[in-house]
Amino acid sequence: MTRVWFITGSSRGFGRHLVEAALANGDHVVATARRPEQIEALSTRHADRLVPVRLDVTEPGAPTAALHTAVERFGRVDVVVNNAGYGSISPIEDVTDEDFRSQADTNLYGPLSVPRAALPLLRRQGSGHIIQMRYR
């Protein structure tokens, strides 16, 4: 059976590798990223099975809207991978308050906002999985 994946943080790193693995397996993917244009090369090659969607997990309502796009396109979501997050490797004296707040919002609220948006959908479907990635 072909699965439908919803993957956050898909533009690079582990998220990007998950997108590529799901596509290689013949599955459908909604690949989300703050800058979905970074997924364009994959989108061109897999237009029938890949939908890039802009998603900032810190924006209220954005995860729900992105999941709605997934259901509109593929009819369901089988696997939600909540992978969005990042770390800063700058010396503490070089990190601006704005940069720190952005990272904190992404890494603290993202893990809450995506499952909170996905659970009602998965309950209505009667099935699905959430894979929660954690950044330190």
Side-chain angles (χ1 to χ4, degrees):
M1 177 178 138
T2 301
R3 288 187 271 318
V4 177
W5 294 73
F6 180 91
I7 304 172
T8 69
S10 296
S11 61
R12 59 188 171 171
F14 195 69
R16 176 70 174 242
H17 292 297
L18 278 173
V19 170
E20 292 170 352
L23 291 170
N25 193 52
D27 292 338
H28 294 42
V29 179
V30 174
T32 74
R34 286 183 180 180
R35 292 182 305 242
E37 62 274 6
Q38 294 176 326
I39 309 167
E40 287 302 316
L42 284 175
S43 180
T44 302
R45 289 194 315 264
H46 302 281
D48 58 329
R49 293 185 296 119
L50 175 66
V51 178
V53 174
R54 184 192 177 287
L55 174 59
D56 181 336
V57 297
T58 67
E59 292 177 7
T64 300
L67 283 157
H68 181 73
T69 299
V71 173
E72 279 184 341
R73 177 67 188 270
F74 297 120
R76 69 182 195 283
V77 174
D78 301 304
V79 183
V80 175
V81 179
N82 195 14
N83 173 65
Y86 66 95
S88 176
I89 57 171
S90 300
I92 192 72
E93 64 269 15
D94 292 343
V95 176
T96 66
D97 288 349
E98 183 180 305
D99 288 342
F100 184 79
R101 279 190 190 96
S102 177
Q103 180 181 347
D105 285 350
T106 300
N107 294 347
L108 293 174
Y109 294 109
L112 174 66
S113 67
V114 173
R116 183 180 277 172
L119 280 170
L121 167 65
L122 299 181
R123 285 187 181 120
R124 278 193 307 274
Q125 292 178 168
S127 66
H129 302 280
I130 296 176
I131 300 170
Q132 184 73 32
M133 308 303 281
R134 182 169 168 251
Y135 289 87
R136 303 187 225 204

